[in-house]
Amino acid sequence: MTAPFSDSAHTPQTETDRATVRLLPKANARAIRHGFPWVYANELVTDRRTKALSPGALARLEDTTRQPMGLVAVNPLSKIIARMLDEDPEARLDQGWFEARLARAQDLRARLYDAPFYRLVHAETDGLPGVVIDRFGDTCVIQPNAAWAEAHLSTLTAALVAVTGVAHVLKNAAGRTRGLEGLDDVSGVLHGQAPDGPLPVPMNGATYLADLTGGQKTGLFYDQRPNHAFAASLARGARVLDVFAHVGGFGLAALANGAAGALCVDGSAPALDLAQGGAEAMGVADRFATRQGDAFDVLAALRAEGAEFDLVICDPPAFAPAKPALDAGLRAYERVARLAAPLVAENGILGLCSCSHAADLGAFRTASVRGIGRAGRRGALIHTGFAGPDHPLLPQLAESGYLKSLFFRL
């Protein structure tokens, strides 16, 4: 369980404690030199000294010929035993180091968006491995999902305030990734104070309510912004069904762009309450409805009721977060498509999304098409969408391109 929010501080390793770690011959040193940011546990010499390093310890990385490769953060408890931090093995992780990376990240987002509501830091692609920072006006939420970031959290927070000028910084410690790093799930207030309630977030003409202390992840999913916009462009006059809706991502965007009505389905009553609040804030509550329940059950029930929609979007959680879950995850995506397709009116649109790291675009598309076919429908793929530009993709790291959205005309 996540503990109540409280102040927290961490003491980073001193520069004089820095160790040296070395790649095994089997490691792909060339890939690392060309930008791959991780070293797996079976690629590093793990002698007694390396195993004794504390999670998040800084170390100089060398190749098999003892040539320096850069500065890494080491975690002997993780399958990703080392994360590349800097090409300079002697780099100092002081406030200035963090400020330089944060300033570069903020400069990109300021060029992309008119208002300060976006993902500010997207982990490895912004030079801060394992770190996610979402900005909500004058509040930022940090997810330090790697041990090195936890150890330097106070310095990161000070740099974040200095660069952005935000009044409040929260720590979100939820999620499976921290567990894989051997970290706890204790969230807290790092600077300023937690908001009294949900914060309104403007996006694509809609207003979303983000619960930064009790909601999923950091409170809102910014990654779907361009896919919300594409779906909304098809929504004028449409009857819309938004399944796995969370706080109303697709449904509220559709209503903001002239949908005749939107039904949002989710298993979480608090999330649907936030969606309802967003609809009320937008003045579209008369065209908005929610239905709580298991998404698969609700889809089957809607079909039994003879319901029909012009635009149906399904944005489920990650059914295949890792390779061992891939087969089961693809079957789940196929099932979503099979249950959703019969609810789409003739010449209507079905949008299907996946945020699974392990399911690549081809596999997800195949599962979706199979599900549509098994529902007795035929679809033409009209659009493929990905995460927005505030979630940049690191070409060397396939995991950074996790989000896929497929839109079919049935």
Side-chain angles (χ1 to χ4, degrees):
M1 295 293 291
T2 299
F5 273 49
S6 61
D7 290 326
S8 60
H10 307 275
T11 302
Q13 167 199 30
T14 64
E15 301 293 334
T16 56
D17 294 335
R18 193 169 295 178
T20 298
V21 294
R22 187 170 301 114
L23 294 178
L24 288 168
K26 66 188 296 185
N28 191 340
R30 177 175 294 182
I32 296 170
R33 290 191 185 280
H34 290 174
F36 187 75
W38 297 344
V39 179
Y40 294 105
N42 63 354
E43 297 178 316
L44 196 73
V45 175
T46 49
D47 54 21
R48 184 172 59 185
R49 186 163 182 256
T50 299
K51 291 179 180 179
L53 291 173
S54 60
L58 304 182
R60 305 171 186 87
L61 178 66
E62 296 180 348
D63 64 16
T64 55
T65 65
R66 298 182 181 271
Q67 292 299 308
M69 300 188 69
L71 176 67
V72 294
V74 179
N75 186 350
L77 303 178
S78 174
K79 289 184 179 180
I80 304 173
I81 195 170
R83 298 173 186 264
M84 182 67 74
L85 298 178
D86 200 296
E87 293 181 357
D88 178 6
E90 305 302 327
R92 294 179 57 85
L93 266 62
D94 54 16
Q95 185 170 325
W97 186 91
F98 283 99
E99 286 184 7
R101 279 156 177 73
L102 291 168
R104 183 175 60 187
Q106 180 174 258
D107 176 69
L108 172 63
R109 277 67 177 185
R111 291 155 63 189
L112 292 169
Y113 304 108
D114 294 332
F117 296 92
Y118 42 66
R119 172 148 296 182
L120 175 61
V121 169
H122 193 49
E124 281 77 0
T125 50
D126 284 303
L128 294 170
V131 177
V132 166
I133 304 177
D134 283 347
R135 183 168 182 178
F136 302 88
D138 67 353
T139 301
C140 280
V141 181
I142 302 176
Q143 283 188 310
N145 293 328
W148 80 273
E150 185 82 10
H152 293 82
L153 193 53
S154 59
T155 307
L156 170 58
T157 301
L160 180 63
V161 173
V163 169
T164 65
V166 296
H168 314 287
V169 181
L170 312 181
K171 171 189 172 183
N172 182 292
R176 63 185 291 272
T177 306
R178 284 178 59 85
L180 297 175
E181 285 278 306
L183 300 172
D184 62 34
D185 61 354
V186 180
S187 296
V189 176
L190 302 173
H191 179 79
Q193 60 188 22
D196 293 333
L199 296 183
V201 177
M203 192 162 57
N204 291 320
T207 298
Y208 299 96
L209 298 185
D211 181 355
L212 306 191
T213 60
Q216 295 182 40
K217 299 295 180 68
T218 63
L220 194 70
F221 299 120
Y222 283 128
D223 53 1
Q224 284 282 23
R225 186 192 320 239
N227 300 312
H228 290 163
F230 179 77
S233 72
L234 303 170
R236 184 164 299 279
R239 301 161 295 173
V240 178
L241 175 64
D242 181 1
V243 187
F244 305 98
H246 189 224
V247 297
F250 284 96
L252 294 182
L255 289 173
N257 287 270
L263 172 61
C264 283
V265 175
D266 201 89
S268 168
L272 291 178
D273 288 343
L274 292 171
Q276 182 68 45
E280 292 169 0
M282 294 166 57
V284 297
D286 59 324
R287 293 183 281 137
F288 182 76
T290 65
R291 189 156 171 173
Q292 184 194 359
D294 175 83
F296 295 103
D297 293 342
V298 174
L299 286 170
L302 287 170
R303 183 179 185 185
E305 295 164 15
E308 186 177 78
F309 301 88
D310 305 297
L311 175 61
V312 175
I313 303 102
C314 298
D315 183 18
F319 288 143
K323 287 183 179 179
L326 179 57
D327 290 343
L330 291 174
R331 288 193 297 272
Y333 287 122
E334 179 184 326
R335 186 183 176 202
V336 168
R338 177 172 56 81
L339 292 173
L343 301 175
V344 181
E346 185 71 16
N347 293 320
I349 304 297
L350 174 61
L352 301 170
C353 308
S354 166
C355 60
S356 293
H357 294 280
D360 63 22
L361 177 60
F364 173 58
R365 185 171 54 222
T366 297
S368 298
V369 171
R370 184 181 295 118
I372 291 170
R374 289 184 173 173
R377 303 297 297 273
R378 295 293 178 268
L381 182 62
I382 63 170
H383 180 73
T384 301
F386 303 97
D390 54 343
H391 292 64
L393 187 153
L394 187 66
Q396 299 91 338
L397 188 65
E399 288 84 349
S400 63
Y402 62 96
L403 183 65
K404 290 82 64 177
S405 293
L406 305 173
F407 290 85
F408 298 87
R409 187 196 65 186
L410 301 192

PDB file of all heavy atoms in Angstrom, residues 331-345:
ATOM      1  N   ARG A 331      -3.864 -12.595 -26.702  1.00  0.00           N
ATOM      2  CA  ARG A 331      -5.212 -13.175 -26.679  1.00  0.00           C
ATOM      3  C   ARG A 331      -6.211 -12.192 -26.071  1.00  0.00           C
ATOM      4  O   ARG A 331      -7.361 -12.100 -26.523  1.00  0.00           O
ATOM      5  CB  ARG A 331      -5.204 -14.493 -25.901  1.00  0.00           C
ATOM      6  CG  ARG A 331      -4.525 -15.641 -26.623  1.00  0.00           C
ATOM      7  CD  ARG A 331      -4.830 -16.969 -25.968  1.00  0.00           C
ATOM      8  NE  ARG A 331      -4.328 -17.055 -24.595  1.00  0.00           N
ATOM      9  CZ  ARG A 331      -3.111 -17.472 -24.264  1.00  0.00           C
ATOM     10  NH1 ARG A 331      -2.254 -17.852 -25.218  1.00  0.00           N
ATOM     11  NH2 ARG A 331      -2.750 -17.543 -22.999  1.00  0.00           N
ATOM     12  N   ALA A 332      -5.763 -11.448 -25.061  1.00  0.00           N
ATOM     13  CA  ALA A 332      -6.647 -10.456 -24.443  1.00  0.00           C
ATOM     14  C   ALA A 332      -6.955  -9.319 -25.412  1.00  0.00           C
ATOM     15  O   ALA A 332      -8.101  -8.853 -25.498  1.00  0.00           O
ATOM     16  CB  ALA A 332      -6.006  -9.915 -23.167  1.00  0.00           C
ATOM     17  N   TYR A 333      -5.954  -8.857 -26.167  1.00  0.00           N
ATOM     18  CA  TYR A 333      -6.205  -7.810 -27.162  1.00  0.00           C
ATOM     19  C   TYR A 333      -7.162  -8.304 -28.252  1.00  0.00           C
ATOM     20  O   TYR A 333      -8.031  -7.564 -28.720  1.00  0.00           O
ATOM     21  CB  TYR A 333      -4.886  -7.337 -27.786  1.00  0.00           C
ATOM     22  CG  TYR A 333      -4.047  -6.500 -26.848  1.00  0.00           C
ATOM     23  CD1 TYR A 333      -2.751  -6.880 -26.518  1.00  0.00           C
ATOM     24  CD2 TYR A 333      -4.553  -5.335 -26.294  1.00  0.00           C
ATOM     25  CE1 TYR A 333      -1.977  -6.120 -25.652  1.00  0.00           C
ATOM     26  CE2 TYR A 333      -3.784  -4.565 -25.420  1.00  0.00           C
ATOM     27  CZ  TYR A 333      -2.496  -4.968 -25.109  1.00  0.00           C
ATOM     28  OH  TYR A 333      -1.745  -4.217 -24.238  1.00  0.00           O
ATOM     29  N   GLU A 334      -6.990  -9.566 -28.653  1.00  0.00           N
ATOM     30  CA  GLU A 334      -7.909 -10.140 -29.644  1.00  0.00           C
ATOM     31  C   GLU A 334      -9.333 -10.183 -29.090  1.00  0.00           C
ATOM     32  O   GLU A 334     -10.296  -9.861 -29.805  1.00  0.00           O
ATOM     33  CB  GLU A 334      -7.452 -11.545 -30.012  1.00  0.00           C
ATOM     34  CG  GLU A 334      -8.364 -12.234 -31.012  1.00  0.00           C
ATOM     35  CD  GLU A 334      -7.933 -13.665 -31.287  1.00  0.00           C
ATOM     36  OE1 GLU A 334      -6.716 -13.944 -31.278  1.00  0.00           O
ATOM     37  OE2 GLU A 334      -8.825 -14.510 -31.501  1.00  0.00           O
ATOM     38  N   ARG A 335      -9.450 -10.517 -27.833  1.00  0.00           N
ATOM     39  CA  ARG A 335     -10.775 -10.593 -27.215  1.00  0.00           C
ATOM     40  C   ARG A 335     -11.437  -9.211 -27.150  1.00  0.00           C
ATOM     41  O   ARG A 335     -12.638  -9.083 -27.400  1.00  0.00           O
ATOM     42  CB  ARG A 335     -10.651 -11.193 -25.822  1.00  0.00           C
ATOM     43  CG  ARG A 335     -11.996 -11.451 -25.143  1.00  0.00           C
ATOM     44  CD  ARG A 335     -11.787 -11.982 -23.739  1.00  0.00           C
ATOM     45  NE  ARG A 335     -13.055 -12.152 -23.044  1.00  0.00           N
ATOM     46  CZ  ARG A 335     -13.178 -12.194 -21.723  1.00  0.00           C
ATOM     47  NH1 ARG A 335     -12.105 -12.087 -20.949  1.00  0.00           N
ATOM     48  NH2 ARG A 335     -14.373 -12.341 -21.169  1.00  0.00           N
ATOM     49  N   VAL A 336     -10.654  -8.192 -26.818  1.00  0.00           N
ATOM     50  CA  VAL A 336     -11.197  -6.831 -26.806  1.00  0.00           C
ATOM     51  C   VAL A 336     -11.764  -6.484 -28.173  1.00  0.00           C
ATOM     52  O   VAL A 336     -12.887  -5.978 -28.304  1.00  0.00           O
ATOM     53  CB  VAL A 336     -10.110  -5.814 -26.396  1.00  0.00           C
ATOM     54  CG1 VAL A 336     -10.585  -4.386 -26.661  1.00  0.00           C
ATOM     55  CG2 VAL A 336      -9.745  -5.971 -24.924  1.00  0.00           C
ATOM     56  N   ALA A 337     -10.989  -6.746 -29.227  1.00  0.00           N
ATOM     57  CA  ALA A 337     -11.444  -6.431 -30.586  1.00  0.00           C
ATOM     58  C   ALA A 337     -12.699  -7.229 -30.943  1.00  0.00           C
ATOM     59  O   ALA A 337     -13.641  -6.692 -31.552  1.00  0.00           O
ATOM     60  CB  ALA A 337     -10.326  -6.714 -31.585  1.00  0.00           C
ATOM     61  N   ARG A 338     -12.731  -8.500 -30.557  1.00  0.00           N
ATOM     62  CA  ARG A 338     -13.877  -9.359 -30.886  1.00  0.00           C
ATOM     63  C   ARG A 338     -15.150  -8.878 -30.199  1.00  0.00           C
ATOM     64  O   ARG A 338     -16.240  -8.926 -30.783  1.00  0.00           O
ATOM     65  CB  ARG A 338     -13.560 -10.802 -30.490  1.00  0.00           C
ATOM     66  CG  ARG A 338     -14.705 -11.784 -30.726  1.00  0.00           C
ATOM     67  CD  ARG A 338     -14.274 -13.219 -30.505  1.00  0.00           C
ATOM     68  NE  ARG A 338     -13.705 -13.446 -29.199  1.00  0.00           N
ATOM     69  CZ  ARG A 338     -14.409 -13.643 -28.080  1.00  0.00           C
ATOM     70  NH1 ARG A 338     -15.738 -13.609 -28.127  1.00  0.00           N
ATOM     71  NH2 ARG A 338     -13.791 -13.871 -26.931  1.00  0.00           N
ATOM     72  N   LEU A 339     -15.043  -8.400 -28.976  1.00  0.00           N
ATOM     73  CA  LEU A 339     -16.219  -7.935 -28.242  1.00  0.00           C
ATOM     74  C   LEU A 339     -16.636  -6.520 -28.638  1.00  0.00           C
ATOM     75  O   LEU A 339     -17.825  -6.179 -28.575  1.00  0.00           O
ATOM     76  CB  LEU A 339     -15.940  -7.982 -26.737  1.00  0.00           C
ATOM     77  CG  LEU A 339     -15.790  -9.373 -26.122  1.00  0.00           C
ATOM     78  CD1 LEU A 339     -15.354  -9.263 -24.671  1.00  0.00           C
ATOM     79  CD2 LEU A 339     -17.093 -10.160 -26.235  1.00  0.00           C
ATOM     80  N   ALA A 340     -15.675  -5.709 -29.036  1.00  0.00           N
ATOM     81  CA  ALA A 340     -15.985  -4.313 -29.368  1.00  0.00           C
ATOM     82  C   ALA A 340     -16.524  -4.149 -30.779  1.00  0.00           C
ATOM     83  O   ALA A 340     -17.399  -3.305 -31.028  1.00  0.00           O
ATOM     84  CB  ALA A 340     -14.738  -3.448 -29.192  1.00  0.00           C
ATOM     85  N   ALA A 341     -16.028  -4.946 -31.725  1.00  0.00           N
ATOM     86  CA  ALA A 341     -16.401  -4.765 -33.131  1.00  0.00           C
ATOM     87  C   ALA A 341     -17.909  -4.838 -33.380  1.00  0.00           C
ATOM     88  O   ALA A 341     -18.451  -4.047 -34.164  1.00  0.00           O
ATOM     89  CB  ALA A 341     -15.653  -5.778 -34.000  1.00  0.00           C
ATOM     90  N   PRO A 342     -18.664  -5.753 -32.748  1.00  0.00           N
ATOM     91  CA  PRO A 342     -20.110  -5.812 -33.016  1.00  0.00           C
ATOM     92  C   PRO A 342     -20.871  -4.569 -32.575  1.00  0.00           C
ATOM     93  O   PRO A 342     -22.007  -4.360 -33.003  1.00  0.00           O
ATOM     94  CB  PRO A 342     -20.561  -7.037 -32.211  1.00  0.00           C
ATOM     95  CG  PRO A 342     -19.334  -7.868 -32.042  1.00  0.00           C
ATOM     96  CD  PRO A 342     -18.235  -6.881 -31.900  1.00  0.00           C
ATOM     97  N   LEU A 343     -20.266  -3.737 -31.730  1.00  0.00           N
ATOM     98  CA  LEU A 343     -20.940  -2.534 -31.245  1.00  0.00           C
ATOM     99  C   LEU A 343     -20.776  -1.349 -32.185  1.00  0.00           C
ATOM    100  O   LEU A 343     -21.385  -0.301 -31.969  1.00  0.00           O
ATOM    101  CB  LEU A 343     -20.395  -2.156 -29.858  1.00  0.00           C
ATOM    102  CG  LEU A 343     -20.543  -3.218 -28.763  1.00  0.00           C
ATOM    103  CD1 LEU A 343     -19.865  -2.756 -27.483  1.00  0.00           C
ATOM    104  CD2 LEU A 343     -22.010  -3.526 -28.517  1.00  0.00           C
ATOM    105  N   VAL A 344     -19.947  -1.509 -33.210  1.00  0.00           N
ATOM    106  CA  VAL A 344     -19.658  -0.404 -34.134  1.00  0.00           C
ATOM    107  C   VAL A 344     -20.672  -0.422 -35.273  1.00  0.00           C
ATOM    108  O   VAL A 344     -20.876  -1.441 -35.938  1.00  0.00           O
ATOM    109  CB  VAL A 344     -18.227  -0.516 -34.697  1.00  0.00           C
ATOM    110  CG1 VAL A 344     -17.930   0.639 -35.639  1.00  0.00           C
ATOM    111  CG2 VAL A 344     -17.214  -0.549 -33.547  1.00  0.00           C
ATOM    112  N   ALA A 345     -21.302   0.728 -35.517  1.00  0.00           N
ATOM    113  CA  ALA A 345     -22.268   0.852 -36.609  1.00  0.00           C
ATOM    114  C   ALA A 345     -21.575   0.660 -37.953  1.00  0.00           C
ATOM    115  O   ALA A 345     -20.355   0.818 -38.074  1.00  0.00           O
ATOM    116  CB  ALA A 345     -22.939   2.225 -36.556  1.00  0.00           C
TER     117      ALA A 345
END
